Amino acid sequence: MPTLTPGAVTQSLAQFSTYATFQPSSGLFSPGLPPIPPDPQPVRVQDFPTGVNLNWTPRAYDPFGFPALRSFSNVELVRLAIETRKDQIERLDWRVKKIGAKRADNNDPRIQEAMRFLRKPDGQHHFAVWLRMIVEDLLALDAPAIEVRRNRARKVIGLDVVDGASIKVLVDQNGRRPLPPDPAYQQVIKGRVWTNLTTDDLLYHPRNRRSNHMYGFGPVEQIIVTINTVMQRQAAQLAHFTASNIPSGILNAPNGWTPQQIKDFQDWFDAVLTGNTQDRSKLKWVPEGTKYQAFKDAPIKDEFDEWLARIVAFAFSLPPTPFVKQMNRSTSETDQERAQEEGLGPLLIWAKRLMDDVIQELLGFYDLEFAWEVERDVDPETQSKIDDMDLRNGSRTINQVRSDRGQDPYSNALANEPLVMTANGYVPLTSYQDSRDDKAANAKAVADAVANPEDETDQPSDGENDEPRAGDPD
């Protein structure tokens, strides 16, 4: 029997059904018997601190609280990155459509109702402004929170953006989010528990969740050390202009001058040159032996500042082009495209998931979805070639191309049919397919005739192979 760790609880070998797995009788250097849980419990999804719900301060057990993250998000480089992302999202158009449909059916009354609701989700702010508030809490705190307002019939009448820093997350005995009617969140105002909220009352959608944390992990928190360095760096640069006592240079007085003579000469020199731009550009006669020594200032901006800017830009998946030395155009455009794919794309997908939950679960339109109208930034000449190719192979109709260009459709019926370019010019795809079917049928008939030819010599003819009749000549 192996030596047990002090405090460990085990069963007898006869009671332990998996004894042969961990401690076989003939096993050498075996792993040993695992301790038996004295009181088996259901699985906990995370090891939260004991009594975590008793502390009403949000993020009480995290290194940085919400107020600190708010302050860090207002550092210049970080604030510029957040506002840039918000601007990029705001410039995009959106629509509500059936799931899987390419275009929205604006005549569908359910789509009209959903569009009317999302135009001002809280009844006050337009969708773009409303979403900017959500993205602010997403990027700064990773704690976007939305209150669901309902009327007495329990119908959703509004979605109000709530300060995510005021929301405390609750957990049940197993570390999971409690389900209604139990509260899953609490709002804390001025250090006082303000109200309880269930998952039906509040939409709480952090983007970057972690299995061992109750709160999200946003880009601001990921670069706390870098942001702190940026703040200290900017403070040093500001002090250069406000508290620095280093002059542009000094003049060495001739030997034998007394302090009073130096002071008198300094006062005269300042009186002549201060505010006098013309005299400052002229030569001045000074006593023999006077020497000038210039001071070389520390650089106000160097590669270290660019490195800090690159880290902040990378955290938000933005190109650092505005803050670094000018690169060639090709590299700059590549960085722009990569930032669009790596940063803005996932953010738009997160917003789509949120809006799909609103449309399908809150409004009850389970066959509708939210879609972004992502603009294609294509060179006009290249786009013209793409359109021409699509028209030639029948991928799109003429009116579809005109619609994408913002032009009115043609009234001709052929403009709504796909056309295929042939040797005889453009042919409607239906006629082209009919012609191909006719050719295929003719080819099949010819092939069948060749495979089964009629042998005229084997066919009976009139009077041939008849029995001889009486009176017929031999």
Side-chain angles (χ1 to χ4, degrees):
M1 184 73 180
T3 303
L4 297 179
T5 304
V9 179
T10 184
Q11 296 176 338
S12 65
L13 299 182
Q15 294 174 324
F16 209 113
S17 61
T18 57
Y19 169 73
T21 301
F22 299 104
Q23 187 77 32
S25 58
S26 60
L28 298 177
F29 306 106
S30 60
L33 296 176
I36 305 302
D39 185 14
Q41 298 290 328
V43 173
R44 280 189 175 181
V45 295
Q46 62 174 282
D47 185 15
F48 51 80
T50 302
V52 63
N53 290 338
L54 298 177
N55 194 329
W56 57 78
T57 303
R59 292 182 66 96
Y61 297 95
D62 288 275
F64 301 95
F66 282 134
L69 295 179
R70 286 281 193 204
S71 300
F72 287 133
S73 69
N74 288 324
V75 176
E76 289 180 357
L77 285 177
V78 181
R79 176 50 48 187
L80 291 174
I82 292 177
E83 295 300 324
T84 298
R85 275 291 178 231
K86 291 158 65 175
D87 292 341
Q88 291 174 342
I89 296 177
E90 183 177 359
R91 67 186 293 265
L92 297 177
D93 200 1
W94 55 274
R95 57 194 168 99
V96 177
K97 64 181 184 64
K98 289 185 177 181
I99 296 178
K102 297 298 183 182
R103 296 181 177 273
D105 183 7
N106 296 327
N107 296 324
D108 190 329
R110 299 172 307 140
I111 293 180
Q112 294 176 356
E113 181 180 350
M115 293 286 289
R116 185 166 52 251
F117 177 84
L118 293 180
R119 181 175 175 268
K120 289 185 177 181
D122 58 359
Q124 296 181 348
H125 302 94
H126 286 279
F127 178 81
V129 179
W130 178 82
L131 189 59
R132 286 182 74 100
M133 293 189 288
I134 297 176
V135 174
E136 169 68 27
D137 281 359
L138 175 69
L139 297 179
L141 311 175
D142 200 15
I146 306 170
E147 181 198 9
V148 182
R149 287 191 292 112
R150 304 174 188 268
N151 58 16
R152 293 184 178 180
R154 303 299 295 168
K155 180 181 179 181
V156 177
I157 59 175
L159 300 173
D160 292 340
V161 179
V162 179
D163 179 10
S166 67
I167 300 300
K168 170 182 167 51
V169 177
L170 303 178
V171 293
D172 63 10
Q173 172 66 17
N174 300 322
R176 295 178 173 86
R177 195 75 65 245
L179 299 177
D182 296 326
Y185 313 98
Q186 288 183 325
Q187 186 178 34
V188 180
I189 300 295
K190 300 187 183 305
R192 178 180 181 271
V193 177
W194 202 255
T195 185
N196 290 331
L197 298 163
T198 68
T199 53
D200 291 338
D201 302 325
L202 189 76
L203 298 179
Y204 191 76
H205 283 267
R207 177 169 171 247
N208 190 17
R209 294 179 180 269
R210 293 175 291 173
S211 61
N212 61 334
H213 283 74
M214 297 170 57
Y215 296 89
F217 190 50
V220 172
E221 189 177 1
Q222 296 173 28
I223 54 172
I224 288 291
V225 175
T226 300
I227 296 176
N228 235 323
T229 306
V230 171
M231 294 171 60
Q232 299 299 327
R233 176 67 171 172
Q234 290 181 340
Q237 292 171 335
L238 180 62
H240 175 82
F241 298 98
T242 58
S244 177
N245 63 350
I246 302 177
S248 300
I250 59 175
L251 286 172
N252 294 323
N255 293 331
W257 276 31
T258 64
Q260 184 62 39
Q261 288 176 313
I262 295 176
K263 181 180 181 302
D264 293 342
F265 183 79
Q266 178 73 52
D267 294 341
W268 169 82
F269 201 76
D270 291 343
V272 172
L273 298 182
T274 301
N276 195 337
T277 306
Q278 293 183 351
D279 284 350
R280 285 163 60 182
S281 61
K282 299 178 181 178
L283 292 175
K284 294 295 179 183
W285 292 94
V286 296
E288 182 182 2
T290 303
K291 297 180 180 179
Y292 173 71
Q293 179 179 352
F295 287 160
K296 184 178 181 180
D297 295 336
I300 303 301
K301 176 181 177 298
D302 56 18
E303 294 182 356
F304 182 67
D305 296 278
E306 293 188 2
W307 171 248
L308 295 177
R310 287 180 182 274
I311 295 178
V312 174
F314 186 81
F316 290 89
S317 297
L318 289 169
T321 311
F323 308 104
V324 300
K325 293 181 180 179
Q326 186 64 38
M327 299 178 291
N328 59 66
R329 181 177 178 181
S330 176
T331 305
S332 177
E333 291 178 351
T334 302
D335 287 346
Q336 189 75 23
E337 294 174 357
R338 183 170 62 249
Q340 182 86 3
E341 179 180 354
E342 296 178 355
L344 184 59
L347 202 58
L348 295 180
I349 294 176
W350 173 87
K352 171 181 164 50
R353 288 198 301 265
L354 173 63
M355 301 315 301
D356 285 346
D357 289 345
V358 171
I359 294 172
Q360 298 170 10
E361 298 181 7
L362 297 183
L363 299 183
F365 304 137
Y366 291 96
D367 60 336
L368 301 182
E369 66 177 349
F370 181 90
W372 291 105
E373 295 284 359
V374 181
E375 298 180 355
R376 295 179 300 173
D377 188 10
V378 182
D379 179 72
E381 183 177 355
T382 303
Q383 185 62 54
S384 179
K385 294 179 180 179
I386 295 175
D387 293 341
D388 183 65
M389 185 182 302
D390 290 344
L391 291 174
R392 286 175 173 270
N393 59 28
S395 299
R396 288 192 295 168
T397 66
I398 295 177
N399 279 343
Q400 286 176 341
V401 173
R402 293 182 62 82
S403 176
D404 293 342
R405 295 181 177 182
Q407 299 172 333
D408 294 332
Y410 288 138
S411 58
N412 194 311
L414 286 177
N416 294 316
E417 292 189 21
L419 306 175
V420 177
M421 186 63 179
T422 66
N424 298 324
Y426 283 100
V427 177
L429 185 60
T430 55
S431 300
Y432 180 71
Q433 186 62 39
D434 292 342
S435 176
R436 289 175 58 91
D437 292 342
D438 293 341
K439 291 181 178 180
N442 293 335
K444 185 177 183 302
V446 172
D448 292 342
V450 172
N452 302 302
E454 294 182 357
D455 189 358
E456 297 182 356
T457 59
D458 296 336
Q459 297 298 325
S461 57
D462 292 342
E464 187 177 5
N465 296 330
D466 290 343
E467 293 295 332
R469 292 175 298 180
D472 286 345
D474 292 336

